[in-house]
Amino acid sequence: MDTRYIRYARRRARGAVRPAAIAIVAVVAVLAAASWFLIIKPHQDLVESDAGGHPSTPVTAARAAPPPPVNVAAMSLNQLLAEARKAVNEQRLLAPAGNNAFEFYLKVLEKQPGNQVAADALRETFPVGASLAEQAINQRDFSDAQRQIDLLAKADPANYTLTILRSKLDAQRKLQDREQQLASDKEKQSQLAAQKAVADKAEADRAAAEAQQKALAEQQQRAAQTRVAQQQAEPSARQSQAAGATAASEGTASAATHGPVLVRNVNPRYPVGAVRSNQEGWVELTFTVTAEGNVDDVKVLDAEPRHVFDRAAVEAVTRWKYQPATQDGTPVPSQDKRRIVFKLN
């Protein structure tokens, strides 16, 4: 075989393959560029921004989200994809609600379930979306975190990351509930302690007031008893002097006959109720002095006011001691009558 023909055939075959290879390379390059600008670059910018990096184009940190498009349901596939790309570029991947890339891509898949651009975009941006949902959980924005997890679940229901996010959301909610319960319990304990302190102070003040009132009443009662004793001692002394004078004047024969003489006077107890109500009065009594000098058969003749000082007067007189009356030198029973006066300062 002629070798020149073989070499010519090979050169011809190489020349036919070269344009096809160039066309394939050109198509791959165009697809790669489109993927870079539409998916990969926005995704990298979002990751860098989330990690604290600085994108090449400065972005204002406090930039407000644009209002959501009107009548999203009526938008075409191209319009939805354009809004989704715009949301990715503006780092609105999962938020705000109703105006984020995930919702636009999901709308695309609702209209065209097999749309490869939306499916690829959701798959590529899923890790970043999961990171954003985790940030919402850490910030304890539980309602928005739940919404973002639901969006992620619509994009990839079987992704195991969703289980981790849901577990973390549940744990953070329980932790917040425990913290709130502890704070509530602490506040209740503080309130109970304050109430107990107030009640203890009130009880201490009441006890002090009662003790002061009781001491004052006892002091007034002692003063009243002292005055009654002084008043009772004066008539007894006068009676004793009169009896002595009579005995001296009658001589030796009459000295053997005399009336009862009080030798021990017991002060009456001033009733506590009368002290507290600032009452004064008197009780007139009649009684028998026995041959032994004791007091017996005490009766109340009159009193003012009635039934206030009666018992105290009777108890005091019953304890009095007399030198009994004598008749021709022999002790005999006798009658006596006294008025017991009760008077405060």
Side-chain angles (χ1 to χ4, degrees):
M1 180 178 293
D2 191 352
T3 57
R4 289 179 298 175
Y5 176 76
I6 294 174
R7 285 197 299 269
Y8 174 75
R10 289 178 179 175
R11 283 196 301 271
R12 233 187 121 111
R14 283 197 298 268
V17 172
R18 190 171 300 162
I22 294 173
I24 292 172
V25 171
V27 171
V28 171
V30 170
L31 291 176
S35 298
W36 169 261
F37 286 104
L38 294 180
I39 297 175
I40 299 175
K41 186 176 186 304
H43 170 63
Q44 289 181 346
D45 291 342
L46 189 60
V47 172
E48 290 177 359
S49 176
D50 182 58
H54 299 279
S56 57
T57 303
V59 179
T60 304
R63 181 176 57 188
V70 179
N71 196 8
V72 175
M75 295 175 66
S76 66
L77 292 178
N78 290 334
Q79 289 174 330
L80 289 171
L81 290 172
E83 287 293 337
R85 288 192 294 270
K86 180 180 177 183
V88 171
N89 291 332
E90 294 178 357
Q91 300 180 7
R92 290 182 284 110
L93 198 60
L94 293 173
N99 192 16
N100 59 77
F102 259 65
E103 291 190 41
F104 291 131
Y105 282 132
L106 290 171
K107 285 289 184 183
V108 171
L109 292 177
E110 288 179 9
K111 289 179 176 290
Q112 190 181 62
N115 189 283
Q116 194 63 37
V117 175
D120 291 344
L122 289 174
R123 185 179 63 256
E124 292 291 335
T125 55
F126 188 94
V128 181
S131 177
L132 293 174
E134 186 176 9
Q135 288 182 12
I137 294 172
N138 293 335
Q139 294 169 0
R140 294 194 173 181
D141 189 358
F142 297 143
S143 59
D144 198 54
Q146 184 65 60
R147 183 189 62 81
Q148 294 181 20
I149 292 173
D150 293 340
L151 280 178
L152 293 170
K154 291 179 181 179
D156 189 359
N159 197 305
Y160 183 72
T161 305
L162 295 173
T163 303
I164 299 174
L165 291 175
R166 287 169 180 150
S167 298
K168 187 167 185 179
L169 176 60
D170 184 62
Q172 286 293 327
R173 279 175 170 164
K174 291 180 179 178
L175 177 61
Q176 186 183 57
D177 291 341
R178 286 196 298 270
E179 291 175 351
Q180 292 175 349
Q181 185 63 40
L182 289 174
S184 177
D185 293 344
K186 186 176 181 180
E187 183 178 359
K188 288 180 181 178
Q189 290 176 358
S190 299
Q191 292 176 353
L192 290 175
Q195 292 174 359
K196 186 177 184 302
V198 172
D200 292 345
K201 185 178 184 302
E203 180 65 21
D205 293 342
R206 184 187 64 79
E210 288 182 355
Q212 184 177 5
Q213 185 177 6
K214 183 178 180 181
L216 179 60
E218 291 176 352
Q219 183 179 1
Q220 292 177 346
Q221 184 178 5
R222 287 195 297 269
Q225 290 174 349
T226 302
R227 285 192 298 273
V228 170
Q230 292 174 352
Q231 292 169 1
Q232 297 300 326
E234 291 176 0
S236 299
R238 287 195 297 269
Q239 186 176 2
S240 298
Q241 292 175 359
T246 302
S249 62
E250 290 180 353
T252 306
S254 61
T257 301
H258 60 79
V261 179
L262 181 65
V263 296
R264 189 182 71 182
N265 179 24
V266 177
N267 297 329
R269 180 181 58 83
Y270 211 102
V272 177
V275 173
R276 291 179 177 174
S277 59
N278 201 28
Q279 281 185 303
E280 297 181 344
W282 52 267
V283 179
E284 190 169 321
L285 304 170
T286 181
F287 51 88
T288 299
V289 179
T290 66
E292 290 78 19
N294 299 322
V295 176
D296 193 12
D297 194 21
V298 182
K299 297 179 181 178
V300 177
L301 296 178
D302 197 5
E304 181 63 34
R306 298 186 64 82
H307 309 303
V308 175
F309 301 100
D310 296 15
R311 183 176 178 181
V314 170
E315 288 180 353
V317 171
T318 302
R319 299 167 60 191
W320 286 3
K321 191 68 176 176
Y322 277 84
Q323 179 183 346
T326 59
Q327 182 69 36
D328 296 331
T330 302
V332 294
S334 61
Q335 294 293 318
D336 198 357
K337 183 173 71 173
R338 295 295 178 94
R339 173 175 284 196
I340 309 299
V341 179
F342 293 83
K343 189 174 182 180
L344 295 171
N345 292 337

